[in-house]
Amino acid sequence: MNRNELCWCGSGKKYKHCHLAMDERINEMKFDFFKGQVRPPHRIINNEEDIAGIKKASVVNDGALDLVSGIIREGIDTLTLDDAIGDYLEKNGGVSADRGYEGYPRNVCISINDVVCHGIPSRDTILKSGDIVNVDITTRVGKYYADASRMFMIGDVPLNAARLVKVTKECMELGIAAAKPWHFLGDIGAACAAHAHKNGYSVVTDLGGHGVGKDFHMEPYVPHNAKAGTGMLLVPGMVITVEPMINEGTYKVTTDEKDGWTVRTKDHKLSAQWENTILITETGTEVLSS
Ligand code: MF3
Ligand code: CO
Ligand code: CO
């Protein structure tokens, strides 16, 4: 691209005043094929307008998670939560990205105890004391998506379950802290997994994080068990999720054959997950969800 043409990012600025310097820096780098190091494609680099849009979606998504923290309790069924979230999103200019996604039937995913992710809200699923519950919401506002999940503890939760929830949150936070511009994607998974393993837990590898923003699931796939220095180069403007699924027992998971969605631990031991949408900035990262 010519220096005086409009930048490929859609900012409306001339290339020389926009992403030329970044492209030059990338072009000077040596990518190690054996470490799977690759350059990020332009389509996953967001401009300021994109970032503002993703932030708007994040605010609504966070609001829906805040709403959940106010109403989730022992004895509530998960479809009531799903309905309340749907109403909240609609009132706030958002729409569930889950509903209809590859035929998914509800607004959100609610995953309890041995359910790793993609639990389908149901009138028959009633929260009980001792449950650990992940509520995962993805909101679209206009063209832009934000994706986040939190864990909730119902009533009296056994110590081992509470510890899993706490350590999993730390895994996410350490993963986010390891995400830095001009470093590599594998640094995130290396940090998540080191903390999980140190605590005697395993890391789910069949599912992971993803680019998000201009679409629900974009490149890159974000592994939560990886080697530092491997995978895609991280550069300012990339937006990804960090969403480690951490298990008490085996890392192996199975998908429910009847509903085609519900992912459970193979040994039926507990699993926890936290998820944030993050932006790679010039200096580090900004958590767009909370
Ligand atoms: N929100 C999930 C994620 O973190 C994806 C849910 S897809 C659905 O990527 F179809 F199950 F809703
Ligand atoms: Co999610
Ligand atoms: Co996600």
Side-chain angles (χ1 to χ4, degrees):
M1 153 165 283
N2 184 292
R3 318 171 39 83
N4 288 309
E5 283 180 68
L6 295 182
C7 187
W8 48 258
C9 78
S11 64
K13 288 189 249 177
K14 283 187 178 172
Y15 184 41
K16 64 183 176 188
H17 297 308
C18 199
H19 281 97
L20 174 64
M22 189 176 101
D23 281 345
E24 281 177 350
R25 183 163 174 185
I26 292 173
N27 287 336
E28 280 162 19
M29 290 184 66
K30 298 235 185 315
F31 289 88
D32 187 338
F33 175 84
F34 294 99
K35 292 182 175 168
Q37 292 179 347
V38 290
R39 60 189 69 211
H42 283 166
R43 65 181 167 275
I44 67 164
I45 315 285
N46 297 283
N47 66 29
E48 273 166 37
E49 187 188 333
D50 298 328
I51 291 162
I54 301 165
K55 282 184 178 173
K56 269 193 183 168
S58 272
V59 169
V60 179
N61 205 63
D62 283 347
L65 285 164
D66 291 344
L67 167 90
V68 170
S69 60
I71 61 176
I72 196 166
R73 57 173 171 80
E74 186 179 345
I76 199 170
D77 69 84
T78 56
L79 190 57
T80 297
L81 292 171
D82 192 89
D83 287 340
I85 295 162
D87 289 346
Y88 180 91
L89 297 182
E90 194 183 318
K91 282 199 186 81
N92 289 277
V95 36
S96 158
D98 287 5
R99 187 175 280 277
Y101 176 78
E102 293 182 3
Y104 187 76
R106 300 284 184 230
N107 294 315
V108 301
C109 298
I110 303 184
S111 305
I112 307 167
N113 298 335
D114 69 327
V115 177
V116 173
C117 63
H118 303 168
I120 304 175
S122 161
R123 197 61 79 206
D124 301 331
T125 305
I126 295 163
L127 300 183
K128 58 184 194 308
S129 182
D131 284 345
I132 58 168
V133 183
N134 176 275
V135 179
D136 189 341
I137 311 182
T138 308
T139 299
R140 177 175 62 79
V141 174
K143 313 190 276 180
Y144 296 106
Y145 296 79
D147 185 6
S149 79
R150 299 180 195 163
M151 293 298 295
F152 299 93
M153 296 195 270
I154 309 301
D156 294 319
V157 166
L159 266 179
N160 65 306
R163 191 176 82 94
L164 176 67
V165 169
K166 174 175 164 280
V167 170
T168 302
K169 188 169 191 221
E170 291 163 357
C171 289
M172 178 190 68
E173 289 163 349
L174 290 164
I176 292 170
K180 296 190 182 100
W182 308 105
H183 290 64
F184 289 89
L185 189 68
D187 296 11
I188 297 171
C192 289
H195 192 61
H197 293 153
K198 195 179 77 186
N199 282 280
Y201 298 140
S202 68
V203 179
V204 173
T205 53
D206 279 5
L207 304 109
H210 48 94
V212 67
K214 286 184 266 198
D215 208 339
F216 187 173
H217 290 117
M218 308 175 68
E219 288 180 275
Y221 172 76
V222 180
H224 298 105
N225 187 1
K227 277 207 172 79
T230 62
M232 190 178 281
L233 177 72
L234 299 172
V235 299
M238 286 172 70
V239 175
I240 59 172
T241 70
V242 178
E243 51 177 305
M245 285 151 268
I246 306 298
N247 296 352
E248 246 189 345
T250 181
Y251 72 95
K252 289 183 180 156
V253 301
T254 57
T255 304
D256 190 294
E257 281 178 17
K258 279 191 223 109
D259 68 29
W261 283 102
T262 313
V263 177
R264 291 188 184 82
T265 56
K266 199 169 180 198
D267 57 10
H268 295 291
K269 291 189 178 175
L270 296 175
S271 183
Q273 180 180 29
W274 289 81
E275 176 176 25
N276 271 171
T277 291
I278 69 166
L279 166 70
I280 307 297
T281 66
E282 299 288 338
T283 51
T285 59
E286 187 182 339
V287 178
L288 302 184
S289 58
S290 67

